[in-house]
Amino acid sequence: MAEDLETAAQAAAAALAAGRGTAQDCTTLGWHRALAGDHAGAGALFERALQLNPRDVEAMIGLAGLHRAAGRLRDAALSCDAALAVAPGYPEAWFERACVMAAGGVMDEARRCYAEVLARAPAHAAAHAGLAAIAARDGEEEIGRRHALAALAAEPGHTGAVAALAAIELEAGDAQAARDLVEPALARLTAPSPERMELLHTLGDACGRLRDFGAAFAAYAKAKQDFAAIHAGTFAGRQSHRDFIAGVTTPLATMDVSGWLAPTTSTAPPHVFVLGYPRSGNTLLENVLASLPGTAAIEEMPTLREADIAFLAEPGGLARFAGLDEAALASYRSAYWQRAGQVLGRDPASLALIDMDPLKTIRLPLIARLFPSAKVLLVRRDPRDVVWSCFRTSFALSNAAMDFTTLEGAARHYDALMQLTEVALARLPLALHEVPYHRMVQDFDATTQAICRFVGLEWTEALRRFDRTARTRGVSTASAKQVRRGLYDGTRQWEPYAEYLEPVLPILQPWIEKLGYAG
């Protein structure tokens, strides 16, 4: 297959150089460039192909894949939809759309798209592997095994199917079986790739369960190196997410907020922001509150996008925001509620809205001024557990995820967001309640009762059944597996890896002490 593409690409390049190239030649050479890692060159060729033939489905799919790799999921989905409008029965268009949906955490739609592939191409190995991965993630062992084995029957050694089977073995408690599956597959992969990265994370989890902590750390570190290498081109020249956070902290520390409204009471259903830091227990708390009747939860969605673009993306934006009058603020509130309604698929006005996103902590200035009646729940966890978990977790592509590719990067990112949080708590009018993760998992009823009193919701025993809520509504964050298991104590997970955390302790120690985890 590779040799056929190489030959076709050489012929296409010759035709284009001679000035007689077609749209198909552009597309063929574009795929060759994409597989070689030249995404810019590939994108230009796909665009040229579409100029020559606006109905070139392969060029549309190629562009979708490039957008997906760069984290531009909306553009990727639009390219897929354009391809399906031209060729609604084409399996590869459905497959790329499934990959885009999975990358965005829209697992029900990803599942549907994979099924559309198999309806047209029953032996499509990658579609079977995709369904196996979703089933493994959702704890559906029988379904996952069936699709993984179907993928391996169609394509022996398919890495996605191996990774899904290994994940199923881990969930079943057989870490050695998972390790035995992954290690031979990794031996065949010599270059950084998403497939190798996924297998390395699974190997790290298996080795950790087997208490081979050195091998686990080595696997996680290599997976993060692969992530950084794969996405280096996308983020070349960009400001780091840590520096972006610092760019919010600096003006917040001095700007005039004296005219901002103090927290107000409201007769409307509660509006709650669940904030903190990634891997602190935010998804757990979100699903706990979503278990109550009359609530609706939004999970890590850009509900403040319009205000973000206007006031956080450019220098001087926060100062402009501080000076807005109520009429100007109203348009940004309206944009928020419109986005919330689009995400939920219904009008949120009659619902207690739970907006969960740990990185919305960066948006505390926006939240404080736009929503003075909102309640803020700030989830706190041992900084060592948080930083270690961010390092070992496989995140979707984002600016923050690039900071998590080393322990030092994760520690400095944590430090930056904690500094912003301290400034925000000191200066902003906020109705805020801190939720220590360890108390939530060790004294669940008392902690959640205090939370309900603060936000204005009636506590019921339904909160204890948050694992059922998570399975019913689906979870798209990296915490999906943990929340489905029900309540368990995930504290002190950093301890077996203490020696690897030693170099970053000087960064974390002030927060360990401040948050009460020094004992």
Side-chain angles (χ1 to χ4, degrees):
M1 181 79 71
E3 291 179 358
D4 291 344
L5 180 59
E6 182 70 35
T7 301
Q10 290 175 358
L16 289 166
R20 49 183 175 79
T22 64
Q24 184 175 351
D25 290 323
C26 293
T27 299
T28 299
L29 191 56
W31 278 103
H32 183 263
R33 295 270 176 87
L35 292 172
D38 179 8
H39 289 188
L45 284 160
F46 290 141
E47 294 284 4
R48 185 175 172 188
L50 289 170
Q51 289 173 359
L52 294 170
N53 177 13
R55 295 174 63 82
D56 189 325
V57 172
E58 291 294 339
M60 295 175 192
I61 296 172
L63 276 177
L66 295 178
H67 289 317
R68 172 167 57 89
R72 299 186 296 269
L73 298 183
R74 182 177 183 278
D75 291 336
L78 291 173
S79 290
C80 290
D81 291 345
L84 287 166
V86 174
Y90 190 39
E92 294 307 318
W94 282 109
F95 177 73
E96 180 55 42
R97 193 173 193 279
C99 293
V100 172
M101 295 298 116
V106 190
M107 294 306 178
D108 285 347
E109 182 62 10
R111 196 192 301 262
R112 184 184 78 83
C113 292
Y114 283 131
E116 292 282 358
V117 176
L118 294 178
R120 295 160 175 82
H124 197 292
H128 277 297
L131 285 171
I134 294 173
R137 176 184 177 278
D138 291 346
E140 299 171 342
E141 179 179 350
E142 182 180 347
I143 295 171
R145 285 188 187 277
R146 184 172 75 247
H147 282 293
L149 293 174
L152 292 169
E155 186 180 321
H158 190 285
T159 55
V162 170
L165 270 181
I168 290 167
E169 296 294 358
L170 274 175
E171 282 288 293
D174 195 340
Q176 188 61 54
R179 186 172 186 173
D180 291 343
L181 280 165
V182 168
E183 286 183 329
L186 278 169
R188 298 190 293 269
L189 300 175
T190 58
S193 67
E195 293 76 18
R196 190 172 82 164
M197 189 174 69
E198 181 181 11
L199 288 172
L200 284 165
H201 276 290
T202 304
L203 177 61
D205 292 346
C207 290
R209 300 269 185 95
L210 294 168
R211 304 191 68 77
D212 188 350
F213 300 120
F217 177 79
Y220 293 136
K222 195 170 185 179
K224 291 298 189 178
Q225 289 166 9
D226 277 9
F227 186 93
I230 291 165
H231 300 298
T234 299
F235 287 92
R238 283 195 195 181
Q239 180 188 45
S240 73
H241 199 247
R242 172 166 59 93
D243 288 342
F244 169 72
I245 293 170
V248 177
T249 306
T250 300
L252 176 58
T254 57
M255 72 186 197
D256 183 8
V257 299
S258 59
W260 293 19
L261 291 176
T264 59
T265 58
S266 172
T267 58
H271 179 201
V272 183
F273 288 92
V274 178
L275 311 179
Y277 194 84
R279 311 299 295 161
S280 291
N282 304 79
T283 302
L284 168 61
L285 180 53
E286 172 210 355
N287 281 278
V288 167
L289 294 176
S291 300
L292 291 174
T295 62
I298 294 175
E299 187 174 85
E300 295 187 4
M301 296 298 289
T303 47
L304 286 162
R305 179 176 173 79
E306 284 74 16
D308 278 354
I309 293 171
F311 307 116
L312 297 186
E314 299 294 336
L318 269 185
R320 293 194 304 274
F321 177 71
L324 293 182
D325 60 21
E326 282 299 310
L329 292 171
S331 66
Y332 294 100
R333 291 189 186 108
S334 177
Y336 173 91
W337 290 112
Q338 183 176 357
R339 282 191 174 272
Q342 289 170 348
V343 172
L344 295 172
R346 50 185 166 156
D347 185 356
S350 62
L351 301 166
L353 181 66
I354 316 300
D355 189 338
M356 188 284 290
D357 186 346
L359 291 180
K360 275 199 181 82
T361 306
I362 303 167
R363 281 80 182 170
L364 276 171
L366 305 180
I367 292 168
R369 187 145 197 235
L370 290 174
F371 306 108
S373 64
K375 306 292 187 179
V376 176
L377 297 173
L378 188 66
V379 189
R380 302 284 207 177
R381 190 181 181 189
D382 187 326
R384 293 161 295 192
D385 272 330
V386 168
V387 167
W388 170 249
S389 188
C390 285
F391 177 72
R392 65 175 287 270
T393 298
S394 178
F395 287 103
L397 179 63
S398 68
N399 287 345
M402 289 298 285
D403 283 79
F404 301 152
T405 54
T406 65
L407 277 173
E408 181 180 354
R412 293 196 181 281
H413 186 277
Y414 178 87
D415 177 60
L417 190 51
M418 292 304 101
Q419 289 187 46
L420 187 154
T421 303
E422 288 302 298
V423 173
L425 298 190
R427 304 208 70 236
L428 297 176
L430 292 163
L432 183 138
H433 179 78
E434 294 198 15
V435 182
Y437 166 81
H438 66 281
R439 292 182 188 164
M440 184 162 50
V441 297
Q442 293 169 2
D443 192 358
F444 181 83
D445 283 2
T447 303
T448 54
Q449 285 166 7
I451 290 168
C452 286
R453 285 195 298 271
F454 171 73
V455 301
L457 291 170
E458 182 179 354
W459 189 93
T460 74
E461 292 186 0
L463 275 77
R464 298 172 182 158
R465 298 188 287 275
F466 66 86
D467 54 327
R468 300 182 195 175
T469 302
R471 285 193 291 270
T472 300
R473 63 187 288 264
V475 177
S476 62
T477 72
S479 302
K481 288 183 180 179
Q482 293 94 322
V483 175
R484 276 194 293 99
R485 293 175 188 156
L487 194 65
Y488 80 107
D489 189 345
T491 59
R492 309 191 78 85
Q493 293 185 3
W494 64 272
E495 288 184 336
Y497 303 93
E499 64 178 290
Y500 305 108
L501 283 161
E502 280 185 15
V504 303
L505 283 182
I507 303 169
L508 299 179
Q509 195 62 39
W511 303 111
I512 294 170
E513 294 174 4
K514 182 175 181 59
L515 298 179
Y517 293 101

